[in-house]
Amino acid sequence: MLSALSSKELAVVLVSGGMDSCVTAAIANLQYEMAFLHLNYGQRTEQRELKAFNVIADYYKVKHRLVVDVHHLKQIGGSGLTDASIDIPRADLHRKEIPSSYVPFRNANILSIAVSWGEVIGAKKIFIGAVEEDSSGYPDCRKEFYTAFNDVIKLGTKAETHLEIETPIIHLKKSEIIKKGIELNVPFNLTWSCYQREDIACGECDSCALRLRGFQQAGVEDPIPYLK
Amino acid sequence: MLSALSSKELAVVLVSGGMDSCVTAAIANLQYEMAFLHLNYGQRTEQRELKAFNVIADYYKVKHRLVVDVHHLKQIGGSGLTDASIDIPRADLHRKEIPSSYVPFRNANILSIAVSWGEVIGAKKIFIGAVEEDSSGYPDCRKEFYTAFNDVIKLGTKAETHLEIETPIIHLKKSEIIKKGIELNVPFNLTWSCYQREDIACGECDSCALRLRGFQQAGVEDPIPYLK
């Protein structure tokens, strides 16, 4: 705690490899020494996102890195959405409302892992790049959810632990996130958003479309190449 | 929803295989159709506890069973307590205060998994056999923690979801839990509490000692055999 470097407090930053979490990291980096947490879901582009996580961590010279397999989220999602032996009330309604990739209460699972790790390494903050506007109505992307979760952290951790969730981009639009990122020199070229491909972004999936529209609205060119 | 059987609402019950969770299941069983959730931590007696989980599930004729590997909790605990490359403030203090098996905020991780599953299968309650008195001072065994977590569930799940945590034995002493269990015909012979052995309970570890004292205070004989 004597050197200038170590006097910075630690913050856990949830980094998926996409642009929202990268801008969130750039914001956290202004004030904290960062510990990067990444979760593997068994999603289609798992390896590409993990690669983006690591090159972004290298860019910010992050020493503390934790990669966790949360395949139980897939297992749970799968058991409800695909296993006919399980009795799901309003099953058809569920399938209409929720993309098959979505697992209810997912962000609470993610935050719980982040708090466990944060308490072990003595972090003061947990940064998450949740965005309310682009949340497709998922309840666990709203500001009130994070406020309530902070109460649970206070009650569920040791008295000497002071850990709080920060959601610095929760009220921003995609184009505002991009502008904020440019202001902070975010390496957008290192981020990965495409849900479909791992070599060149498809430019056609929801995630690519949202990203491209954001750059267009911000009046800036996206530095990554697209197939179309 | 027309037959008498299916008119019972679903409840997720966290069942470790020990006696507290088995008594909790017996209480849940009075009113709900039960869905049993078990977590593997990579603990020493993992296989024995899983066996207890399944025989208890058979006893209560539980159809909905989910077993989840949460090795990330071990990974996190390990990374903080054993990995010298990670900077842990007050590391010695931590080691004195917390058993090496403990992972901070563990119950939030467990509850998050239970809520995810509960929302997918349409459950109304989550039963957990947390006990405040025997909690060794862990903050996430206190009633207030569960009350706050219920707020997070309300905010972080869909509007049509109504899921609540129930902690029916949280204020009971071990001997009172045993008396409650006897009242409800709990199959104590099927439960497993020993931390050390998988064949015959050692009778000497903390968990065995707590159990034996509880049965003695309740004035009842423990139906399982002990080595000593």
Side-chain angles (χ1 to χ4, degrees):
Chain A
M1 292 294 178
L2 293 173
S3 73
L5 189 71
S6 65
S7 70
K8 267 192 174 178
E9 289 180 334
L10 258 181
V12 172
V13 185
L14 285 152
V15 176
S16 67
M19 47 165 280
D20 294 348
S21 62
C22 194
V23 173
T24 301
I27 294 168
N29 189 49
L30 296 172
Q31 209 179 330
Y32 296 94
E33 183 184 349
M34 298 193 287
F36 271 21
L37 175 59
H38 181 77
L39 305 177
N40 290 327
Y41 294 91
Q43 70 273 38
R44 188 192 291 241
T45 55
E46 183 178 279
Q47 286 309 307
R48 186 62 189 83
E49 289 177 35
L50 181 59
K51 187 185 159 194
F53 166 81
N54 275 311
V55 294
I56 295 166
D58 290 345
Y59 178 89
Y60 285 111
K61 300 184 173 57
V62 172
K63 278 186 306 180
H64 309 297
R65 304 180 192 186
L66 179 65
V67 176
V68 171
D69 286 322
V70 285
H71 292 256
H72 64 272
L73 292 180
K74 205 181 174 186
Q75 189 186 356
I76 288 169
S79 66
L81 297 171
T82 63
D83 185 345
S85 73
I86 289 180
D87 177 27
I88 307 174
R90 301 182 301 277
D92 284 338
L93 204 70
H94 276 201
R95 274 196 283 274
K96 270 182 222 157
E97 281 175 349
I98 298 179
S100 64
S101 62
Y102 179 66
V103 173
F105 216 51
R106 183 176 56 185
N107 286 352
N109 282 272
I110 291 172
L111 291 171
S112 297
I113 296 168
V115 173
S116 291
W117 191 42
E119 191 169 27
V120 169
I121 64 174
K124 300 294 178 194
K125 301 283 181 188
I126 291 161
F127 280 82
I128 181 167
V131 179
E132 194 159 329
E133 184 155 325
D134 293 330
S135 69
S136 319
Y138 291 162
D140 57 357
C141 284
R142 294 179 304 189
K143 184 68 183 167
E144 309 93 91
F145 169 76
Y146 296 98
T147 306
F149 208 95
N150 273 331
D151 290 337
V152 167
I153 297 175
K154 250 181 250 161
L155 288 163
T157 53
K158 286 173 289 173
E160 63 266 37
T161 297
H162 299 285
L163 248 180
E164 263 188 348
I165 300 164
E166 295 280 341
T167 55
I169 63 169
I170 198 155
H171 294 308
L172 300 186
K173 290 178 196 165
K174 208 68 161 178
S175 58
E176 295 170 327
I177 295 167
I178 290 162
K179 283 178 188 166
K180 186 78 187 166
I182 284 164
E183 190 189 314
L184 295 174
N185 273 320
V186 162
F188 283 115
N189 59 311
L190 305 181
T191 64
W192 192 258
S193 305
C194 183
Y195 283 157
Q196 298 289 341
R197 298 178 61 103
E198 301 200 294
D199 49 355
I200 300 174
C202 75
E204 289 184 323
C205 70
D206 281 358
S207 183
C208 279
L210 208 59
R211 175 177 174 134
L212 283 165
R213 194 184 63 185
F215 271 97
Q216 197 175 26
Q217 288 175 347
V220 186
E221 201 176 332
D222 188 344
I224 68 163
Y226 286 88
L227 196 65
K228 291 188 180 175
Chain B
M1 293 296 177
L2 291 175
S3 73
L5 190 72
S6 65
S7 69
K8 267 192 173 177
E9 289 182 333
L10 256 183
V12 172
V13 185
L14 285 152
V15 176
S16 66
M19 46 165 280
D20 294 348
S21 62
C22 193
V23 172
T24 302
I27 295 168
N29 189 47
L30 296 171
Q31 208 179 332
Y32 296 94
E33 182 184 350
M34 299 194 285
F36 270 21
L37 175 59
H38 181 78
L39 305 176
N40 290 327
Y41 294 91
Q43 70 274 38
R44 187 192 291 240
T45 54
E46 184 178 279
Q47 285 311 307
R48 186 60 189 84
E49 289 177 34
L50 181 59
K51 187 185 160 197
F53 166 82
N54 276 310
V55 293
I56 295 165
D58 290 344
Y59 179 89
Y60 286 109
K61 299 185 173 56
V62 172
K63 277 186 307 182
H64 310 297
R65 304 180 192 187
L66 179 65
V67 176
V68 171
D69 285 322
V70 285
H71 291 249
H72 64 273
L73 292 181
K74 204 182 176 185
Q75 188 185 358
I76 288 170
S79 66
L81 298 171
T82 63
D83 185 345
S85 73
I86 289 181
D87 178 25
I88 309 174
R90 302 184 298 280
D92 283 338
L93 204 70
H94 276 202
R95 273 197 284 272
K96 270 182 224 158
E97 280 175 350
I98 297 178
S100 64
S101 62
Y102 181 67
V103 173
F105 216 52
R106 182 177 56 186
N107 286 351
N109 282 272
I110 292 172
L111 290 171
S112 297
I113 296 168
V115 173
S116 292
W117 191 42
E119 191 168 28
V120 169
I121 64 173
K124 299 295 177 195
K125 300 284 182 188
I126 291 161
F127 279 82
I128 181 168
V131 179
E132 195 160 326
E133 183 155 325
D134 295 330
S135 70
S136 320
Y138 293 161
D140 56 359
C141 283
R142 293 179 306 190
K143 184 68 184 169
E144 308 94 91
F145 170 76
Y146 296 98
T147 305
F149 208 95
N150 273 330
D151 290 338
V152 167
I153 297 175
K154 250 181 249 160
L155 288 163
T157 53
K158 286 173 290 172
E160 63 267 36
T161 298
H162 300 285
L163 247 181
E164 262 188 348
I165 300 165
E166 295 280 341
T167 55
I169 63 168
I170 198 157
H171 294 308
L172 300 187
K173 290 179 196 165
K174 209 66 161 181
S175 58
E176 294 170 327
I177 295 167
I178 290 162
K179 283 178 189 166
K180 187 80 189 163
I182 286 166
E183 189 189 316
L184 296 173
N185 272 321
V186 162
F188 284 116
N189 60 310
L190 304 180
T191 65
W192 191 257
S193 304
C194 183
Y195 283 157
Q196 298 290 341
R197 299 178 62 102
E198 301 200 295
D199 48 357
I200 300 175
C202 75
E204 289 184 323
C205 71
D206 281 358
S207 184
C208 279
L210 208 60
R211 175 177 173 133
L212 282 167
R213 193 184 62 184
F215 271 96
Q216 198 175 23
Q217 288 175 348
V220 186
E221 201 176 334
D222 188 345
I224 68 164
Y226 286 88
L227 196 63
K228 291 185 181 177

